[in-house]
Amino acid sequence: MQHLPVKDNIENKDNNERPLRNLLFTLRFDGSAFHGWQIQHNAITVQQVFQEAVSAIFGSCPDIKGSSRTDSGVHANMFCISMKTSHPIPCERMQAAVNSHLPPQVVVTSVREVPLDFHARYSALGKRYVYKLHNSRVRDPFLRDRALWYRRPIDADMLNTVAQAYVGSHDFTSFCTLDKREIGDFVRTVSEFSVWREGEMVYFSVTADGFLYNMVRIMVGTLLFISEGGAPADSLPGIISACDRSMAGPTAPACGLYLDKVFYDI
Amino acid sequence: MQHLPVKDNIENKDNNERPLRNLLFTLRFDGSAFHGWQIQHNAITVQQVFQEAVSAIFGSCPDIKGSSRTDSGVHANMFCISMKTSHPIPCERMQAAVNSHLPPQVVVTSVREVPLDFHARYSALGKRYVYKLHNSRVRDPFLRDRALWYRRPIDADMLNTVAQAYVGSHDFTSFCTLDKREIGDFVRTVSEFSVWREGEMVYFSVTADGFLYNMVRIMVGTLLFISEGGAPADSLPGIISACDRSMAGPTAPACGLYLDKVFYDI
């Protein structure tokens, strides 16, 4: 008896008779292994390994849209990607298939179908970032590349009070590393900024409708600058209104930063 | 004017007129980077990087005693080393100096002086190990090499009840990978065994006066075997009394195991 060839249900074809679908992937990744999201020459990025995983299944990868341009070393608890395909693969099967081709530093935590006009970046209503700081005299091997090791004492409650100056709609030019990518409007609306301590960890959480390049890292760096006495506790409103990068504190290292959540109205 | 050579306070000499001191180092390390504690040919071990760090300060490293022979991939929240030296370096300075020469996966969390007859291994009254398991349908990139990823549902309370059979003085031959290192007495006294859940994490904690080779990993593996229905919930006393390795479950992977505490009466 001759066995018929078993055809895998996942095929590399884009049948135009099949309706186009828009898939929303949520990812979680350890950014220490990657040179950020966006594909680059001679450097491994999250976009690259994701596209390679999809290509391993479909034979090629459709155009994908990422929710953010995370920097080298920045982590994500939730990073979103939208991708249009006519392939009828069920979402759950897609998740398992992509995960089986991703390196251990990246995982797809969910896949679901969204309206065709959805775009992972432009449909985002806002994002939340969390910055993790390990405030201890002794470094922790389990937190290397996962949190900023910071030895000086920090008064998290004081910083939380100071940081409320960030909340509201402001021109955040002072908190932006200028480059060609940033043009036009520097006004962003921060809806929440919190600083709190849990044991030796200090967390900074910020939610806004959008973020300028390096904005969270400069916001945190400026709070640490104030914590160290580099500027008075009541100086933050003036630093914001100056619209001058040189007035703010240094850019905090990437290793402590996590894209924590992307908000959509779907 | 000629500058006199500045002599560093840390010198490579063992002056016999100085009294011999016994230093107790506590370490914390991410074991995923190491082939265990004990020095080996052609493999990086914790003992090797510690000796190299001491040698970088003293020029050579005195004989050191480790509290345990942790396996490849096993972590430590607290690992102890005793080392005799006549060098008068203060403990705090010794800690900072060694840490500056250790790789980021290892840190000395404290150094203190102990009686000359203290031995990191033989003076230990007992040890506690913790096994970490991530019980989720989706793997977590931040837990890779730090916890066992386990997809099947686990009833932690049920396993905690079952595991109380481990408590007491028993011959743990069923829970030992036999090798040349294990001779003589297989009786150990387990004073505590706890299983509990925190969100998607399930923790196993065991305290005993000593542990046989792979004992904790086989204890956990046997509980998981029972959890999966491989053996009845009331079978553990029989598995223990059988004194037969083939009766117990498989050896759980090293990545979830942490030497959590070493107990001394000093």
Side-chain angles (χ1 to χ4, degrees):
Chain A
M1 180 187 152
Q2 203 182 341
H3 287 280
L4 291 169
V6 178
K7 242 188 165 179
D8 192 81
N9 287 334
I10 302 173
E11 292 165 356
N12 174 26
K13 64 179 176 186
D14 198 314
N15 188 330
N16 282 330
E17 290 170 35
R18 288 170 177 165
L20 197 63
R21 305 161 69 209
N22 197 5
L23 300 181
L24 170 60
F25 294 76
T26 59
L27 272 69
R28 188 168 156 86
F29 60 80
D30 175 351
S32 60
F34 302 104
H35 288 260
W37 158 252
Q38 207 156 16
I39 222 152
Q40 284 179 36
H41 220 61
N42 299 326
I44 293 178
T45 66
V46 180
Q47 185 180 12
Q48 181 190 331
V49 299
F50 183 84
Q51 288 183 353
E52 284 173 358
V54 173
S55 298
I57 304 161
F58 284 175
S60 65
C61 183
D63 188 34
I64 62 172
K65 309 294 181 189
S67 57
S68 317
R69 298 165 302 191
T70 61
D71 270 350
S72 184
V74 174
H75 313 286
N77 291 323
M78 178 185 178
F79 184 99
C80 295
I81 295 170
S82 55
M83 181 184 96
K84 287 177 184 163
T85 177
S86 303
H87 203 289
I89 181 170
C91 289
E92 197 158 331
R93 184 131 185 253
M94 185 72 192
Q95 180 185 358
V98 174
N99 276 337
S100 72
H101 288 96
L102 283 174
Q105 292 87 356
V106 191
V107 72
V108 175
T109 54
S110 73
V111 181
R112 62 176 173 134
E113 211 162 327
V114 289
L116 281 177
D117 62 355
F118 177 91
H119 185 292
R121 188 169 169 212
Y122 300 128
S123 300
L125 301 176
K127 288 168 199 163
R128 181 173 67 221
Y129 280 91
V130 169
Y131 196 93
K132 299 187 186 179
L133 182 152
H134 179 228
N135 193 21
S136 174
R137 201 177 57 83
V138 180
R139 63 184 166 79
D140 185 338
F142 296 108
L143 293 173
R144 72 181 195 284
D145 300 330
R146 306 262 174 103
L148 171 64
W149 175 40
Y150 190 87
R151 280 189 266 199
R152 302 194 201 191
I154 288 181
D155 181 342
D157 289 339
M158 185 275 280
L159 289 188
N160 185 59
T161 303
V162 167
Q164 298 317 306
Y166 287 136
V167 178
S169 295
H170 303 288
D171 182 317
F172 281 103
T173 301
S174 296
F175 300 87
C176 175
T177 302
L178 285 173
D179 74 358
K180 290 173 195 159
R181 295 192 284 180
E182 300 296 342
I183 46 166
D185 190 11
F186 289 77
V187 174
R188 297 291 182 275
T189 301
V190 172
S191 55
E192 169 258 346
F193 201 113
S194 316
V195 186
W196 71 97
R197 172 180 291 278
E198 293 178 16
E200 288 188 335
M201 298 299 294
V202 175
Y203 297 92
F204 303 74
S205 168
V206 54
T207 307
D209 58 351
F211 290 90
L212 303 170
Y213 185 51
N214 279 347
M215 182 167 150
V216 182
R217 289 166 58 188
I218 301 171
M219 286 170 127
V220 171
T222 302
L223 289 174
L224 295 177
F225 188 63
I226 289 171
S227 174
E228 292 160 12
D234 61 359
S235 61
L236 199 49
I239 293 171
I240 297 170
S241 61
C243 292
D244 177 356
R245 173 68 188 91
S246 72
M247 294 289 286
T251 307
C255 65
L257 189 60
Y258 293 69
L259 174 56
D260 195 51
K261 189 158 187 181
V262 187
F263 299 96
Y264 300 110
D265 65 354
I266 51 162
Chain B
M1 182 188 151
Q2 204 183 340
H3 286 279
L4 290 170
V6 179
K7 244 187 163 178
D8 191 83
N9 286 335
I10 301 171
E11 292 165 353
N12 174 27
K13 65 178 178 185
D14 198 315
N15 189 330
N16 282 329
E17 288 169 36
R18 288 169 177 165
L20 198 63
R21 305 160 70 207
N22 197 4
L23 300 182
L24 170 60
F25 295 76
T26 59
L27 271 69
R28 187 168 158 85
F29 60 80
D30 175 351
S32 59
F34 301 104
H35 289 260
W37 158 252
Q38 207 156 16
I39 221 152
Q40 285 179 35
H41 221 61
N42 299 328
I44 292 178
T45 65
V46 180
Q47 185 179 11
Q48 181 190 330
V49 297
F50 183 83
Q51 287 183 353
E52 284 172 359
V54 173
S55 297
I57 304 161
F58 284 174
S60 64
C61 184
D63 188 35
I64 63 172
K65 309 295 182 189
S67 57
S68 317
R69 297 165 302 191
T70 60
D71 271 349
S72 185
V74 173
H75 312 288
N77 291 323
M78 179 185 176
F79 185 98
C80 296
I81 295 170
S82 54
M83 180 184 95
K84 286 178 187 164
T85 176
S86 303
H87 203 291
I89 181 171
C91 288
E92 197 157 331
R93 184 134 185 251
M94 185 73 192
Q95 179 185 359
V98 174
N99 276 336
S100 71
H101 289 96
L102 283 174
Q105 293 87 355
V106 191
V107 72
V108 175
T109 53
S110 73
V111 181
R112 62 174 173 136
E113 210 162 329
V114 289
L116 282 176
D117 62 355
F118 178 91
H119 185 292
R121 187 167 171 214
Y122 299 128
S123 299
L125 300 176
K127 287 169 200 162
R128 180 173 68 221
Y129 280 92
V130 169
Y131 195 92
K132 299 187 185 181
L133 182 151
H134 178 228
N135 193 22
S136 174
R137 200 177 57 83
V138 181
R139 63 185 166 78
D140 185 337
F142 296 108
L143 293 173
R144 71 180 196 284
D145 300 331
R146 305 263 174 102
L148 172 64
W149 176 38
Y150 190 87
R151 279 190 268 199
R152 302 194 200 192
I154 289 181
D155 181 343
D157 289 339
M158 184 274 279
L159 290 188
N160 185 59
T161 303
V162 167
Q164 298 317 306
Y166 286 137
V167 178
S169 293
H170 303 288
D171 182 317
F172 281 102
T173 300
S174 297
F175 300 86
C176 175
T177 302
L178 285 174
D179 75 357
K180 288 173 193 158
R181 293 192 286 179
E182 299 296 342
I183 45 165
D185 190 11
F186 290 77
V187 175
R188 296 292 183 275
T189 300
V190 172
S191 54
E192 169 259 347
F193 202 113
S194 315
V195 186
W196 72 97
R197 173 181 291 278
E198 291 178 17
E200 289 188 333
M201 298 299 295
V202 175
Y203 297 92
F204 302 75
S205 168
V206 53
T207 307
D209 57 351
F211 291 89
L212 303 170
Y213 185 51
N214 279 346
M215 181 166 152
V216 181
R217 290 167 58 187
I218 301 171
M219 286 171 127
V220 171
T222 302
L223 289 175
L224 294 177
F225 188 63
I226 290 171
S227 174
E228 292 161 11
D234 61 359
S235 61
L236 199 51
I239 294 171
I240 297 171
S241 62
C243 291
D244 177 357
R245 173 69 188 89
S246 72
M247 295 289 284
T251 307
C255 65
L257 189 60
Y258 292 69
L259 174 57
D260 195 51
K261 189 159 186 181
V262 188
F263 299 96
Y264 300 110
D265 64 355
I266 51 163

